[in-house]
Amino acid sequence: MMNRSTAKRSIEADIPTSQPGQTLATLYYDGLCPLCQREMTLLKRLKSAQLRLLDIHKQWQLPAEQREAMLRQLHLKLPDGQWLLGADASVEAWRFTRVGWLLKPLRWPLVGPIVDRIYRRWAKRRFKRLYGSGRYLCTLPEEAQNDP
């Protein structure tokens, strides 16, 4: 029988940790999307220090085309430089919490393709509802253009 400390260790063993010299994983999210905001609020409370959350609307150093692409679906940059998109990004980001193991079934071979299809459809509708057709909608606000 598994006691509480053993269960806690097995869950914590699944949480990615960075080694000395490694950078953080970074999840880019849409800070204007109400559902995204709720998820990020919860993720922020539960995540480890190895995951950084960045609102795409505050990333003015990124080209407008890249910001728009990031608004279309979640993007997670891993410490090794690899990028994960969509449902893969979400499931991997939640691995930086103690409850991330609950989302593992979403990536199982029979379930993953269904989840991906549902996510893509939802993301497309969400983007269209919030931003219309897009096409480099992320232009710098006037005050950012005037900064030295």
Side-chain angles (χ1 to χ4, degrees), residues 10-82:
S10 67
I11 291 170
E12 287 176 349
D14 198 36
I15 300 173
T17 57
S18 63
Q19 302 300 318
Q22 257 187 331
T23 59
L24 302 175
T26 304
L27 183 67
Y28 294 86
Y29 69 95
D30 183 351
L32 296 181
C33 166
L35 181 61
C36 304
Q37 288 174 346
R38 285 193 298 272
E39 182 181 5
M40 292 307 122
T41 299
L42 181 59
L43 187 56
K44 188 179 213 176
R45 269 197 357 245
L46 299 175
K47 73 178 186 65
S48 70
Q50 285 77 38
L51 178 65
R52 177 174 48 175
L53 305 175
L54 293 179
D55 182 348
I56 298 161
H57 293 284
K58 296 179 181 175
Q59 305 310 308
W60 295 112
Q61 76 281 8
L62 299 174
E65 181 178 0
Q66 185 178 2
R67 286 194 313 272
E68 183 173 319
M70 292 177 131
L71 287 170
R72 291 183 181 273
Q73 63 180 335
L74 277 176
H75 282 63
L76 176 69
K77 185 174 185 181
L78 298 173
D80 66 2
Q82 179 185 0

Side-chain angles (χ1 to χ4, degrees), residues 64 68 71-72 127-128 130-138:
E68 183 173 319
L71 287 170
R72 291 183 181 273
F127 183 86
K128 189 171 184 174
L130 290 172
Y131 304 109
S133 64
R135 195 71 179 148
Y136 313 118
L137 57 98
C138 303

